[in-house]
Amino acid sequence: MPLTIGQVAKAADVNIETIRYYERRGLFPSPRRTAAGYRQYEGDAVRRLKFVKRAQDLSFTLKEIEELLALRVHHGEACDAVERQVRQKIIRVERMLNELSRVRDVLGRLADACESGSPTGECPILEVLDDDGVASR
């Protein structure tokens, strides 16, 4: 039995506009339409949408998700391609974690330098942020 866009959105816990956006991006196939122009989705629409959302939760970009979806439909393909993508994602996540750790350390040093109660004109945090390149050290 075909599903409406509202039913699919509710079942996958997403906004209707999210589905329309995914359709425009090619992540979600364009559904059949009734004579009145209403979208009619097949039963696997919810599953596909949840796949996309779970992949996004794991920090995959929409382009990467598109590639994963393409691999998903080629059942005869080896899992190697998917594993390679996941390992590349792990490397990017580790880089992001290192950068976030560096940012946390710099922010901690800035917060430690703050003298509570000082007027903002004398705030060391604002002074550092205003100085070219000092905050990134």
Side-chain angles (χ1 to χ4, degrees), residues 89-102:
K89 178 56 74 178
I90 291 169
I91 291 168
R92 286 191 297 276
V93 167
E94 287 174 352
R95 283 188 201 130
M96 288 172 22
L97 287 171
N98 289 335
E99 180 62 18
L100 287 172
S101 178
R102 187 192 70 72

Side-chain angles (χ1 to χ4, degrees), residues 9-130:
K10 184 175 181 181
D13 195 28
V14 299
N15 187 298
I16 289 172
E17 289 304 315
T18 299
I19 297 173
R20 290 181 179 139
Y21 177 71
Y22 289 166
E23 283 178 21
R24 287 191 304 273
R25 289 287 309 256
L27 291 169
F28 213 66
S30 295
R32 287 184 321 212
R33 293 199 181 241
T34 64
Y38 292 105
R39 291 171 168 88
Q40 291 187 313
Y41 295 91
E42 298 301 320
D44 69 333
V46 173
R47 180 176 169 214
R48 184 180 182 99
L49 191 52
K50 286 182 176 183
F51 179 97
V52 172
K53 294 308 293 176
R54 281 192 294 268
Q56 278 187 308
D57 289 346
L58 292 172
S59 297
F60 284 96
T61 65
L62 293 181
K63 182 173 180 2
E64 291 168 336
I65 294 169
E66 186 177 358
E67 293 167 3
L68 290 171
L69 285 167
L71 290 169
R72 184 174 162 234
V73 298
H74 299 309
H75 298 292
E77 297 281 329
C79 191
D80 298 1
V82 177
E83 180 188 1
R84 273 192 305 279
Q85 278 206 321
V86 169
R87 293 204 182 278
Q88 289 171 354
K89 178 56 74 178
I90 291 169
I91 291 168
R92 286 191 297 276
V93 167
E94 287 174 352
R95 283 188 201 130
M96 288 172 22
L97 287 171
N98 289 335
E99 180 62 18
L100 287 172
S101 178
R102 187 192 70 72
V103 168
R104 181 197 59 223
D105 293 346
V106 169
L107 290 173
R109 287 194 305 274
L110 289 174
D112 290 344
C114 185
E115 299 171 22
S116 296
S118 298
T120 57
E122 299 171 14
C123 177
I125 296 172
L126 296 176
E127 289 176 13
V128 168
L129 293 173
D130 200 29

